[in-house]
Amino acid sequence: MADPGKLELELGYLSYLREGSQKSVIAPAAVINLGLEHDNELALEARVRRGLNRETDTGRTTFEDAAIPLKHVHHQGVLQDATGPSIASECGVLIPTLQGERTGASCAGIVSERWSDVTVHFNGAIGKIREGHWEKFLGAIVLVPAVARHGRCLKYSLSGTLPASPPIRPWQACFGQSVKT
């Protein structure tokens, strides 16, 4: 959470995405956070995607997953250097960025806890997505410091929409990301 009146810029790492036969590179995913009073933060987030399929894609670069969420900390806990779980919400507008998308909205609740060197974020969300239908989501992110003094960690995500069974994502290195967030 950014301090009131402060701007923070978060840049994601380079990632490779494969959806069926379609291959893409995502770089960067970016979030701009503006700290507000009373444990609030306003953000602008999006990612740049570059298609890699020569036969079906002419190297098209797209701007995707744009959103303007308002974040609020309801209970200061381990992520704010206090005791007990951190409890927060993130609700906002999903901005259409691809042809055929609509404006959407989502609201998520996040409970974060830390045990020794492991931090876990439990997430639950509901929203009307850009394709126009409602979705429910449950997920967890587990962060384990790989080299704590350099701010590097390993990240494991388990998530999915309900009622379908969730897909499992493998461990990922999250270099340059704070272990606290």
Side-chain angles (χ1 to χ4, degrees):
M1 185 73 55
D3 292 332
K6 301 282 182 168
L7 272 177
E8 289 181 348
L9 174 63
E10 300 172 22
L11 293 175
Y13 43 87
L14 176 73
S15 60
Y16 176 80
L17 178 65
R18 183 174 171 186
E19 296 174 311
S21 64
Q22 299 298 311
K23 300 171 189 165
S24 303
V25 171
I26 308 295
V31 180
I32 299 170
N33 299 303
L34 173 62
L36 304 173
E37 297 290 327
H38 309 292
D39 295 323
N40 290 301
E41 182 177 82
L42 186 63
L44 173 60
E45 51 192 50
R47 68 181 187 169
V48 176
R49 178 175 175 170
R50 174 87 173 164
L52 299 175
N53 293 63
R54 291 183 186 202
E55 60 278 351
T56 60
D57 192 353
T58 59
R60 191 172 138 196
T61 300
T62 57
F63 181 70
E64 299 180 342
D65 295 337
I68 303 174
L70 177 64
K71 304 172 186 181
H72 179 71
V73 175
H74 298 279
H75 180 268
Q76 292 196 1
V78 295
L79 298 184
Q80 294 79 30
D81 296 322
T83 59
S86 296
I87 301 172
S89 61
E90 182 174 318
C91 301
V93 176
L94 307 176
I95 302 167
T97 52
L98 297 175
Q99 191 173 25
E101 286 186 341
R102 302 176 187 158
T103 300
S106 70
C107 196
I110 304 126
V111 177
S112 301
E113 185 60 271
R114 181 176 297 129
W115 297 276
S116 191
D117 284 340
V118 177
T119 302
V120 180
H121 305 286
F122 300 99
N123 307 292
I126 187 166
K128 188 163 188 180
I129 63 171
R130 293 175 183 89
E131 289 77 17
H133 60 274
W134 288 91
E135 275 194 0
K136 297 172 274 187
F137 170 88
L138 285 177
I141 298 172
V142 180
L143 297 171
V144 180
V147 184
R149 70 176 191 265
H150 297 295
R152 293 181 173 93
C153 63
L154 293 175
K155 172 179 155 181
Y156 185 81
S157 299
L158 171 64
S159 62
T161 57
L162 300 174
S165 59
I168 297 174
R169 292 188 206 153
W171 287 95
Q172 299 174 337
C174 42
F175 300 102
Q177 293 184 353
S178 169
V179 176
K180 292 175 76 173
T181 60

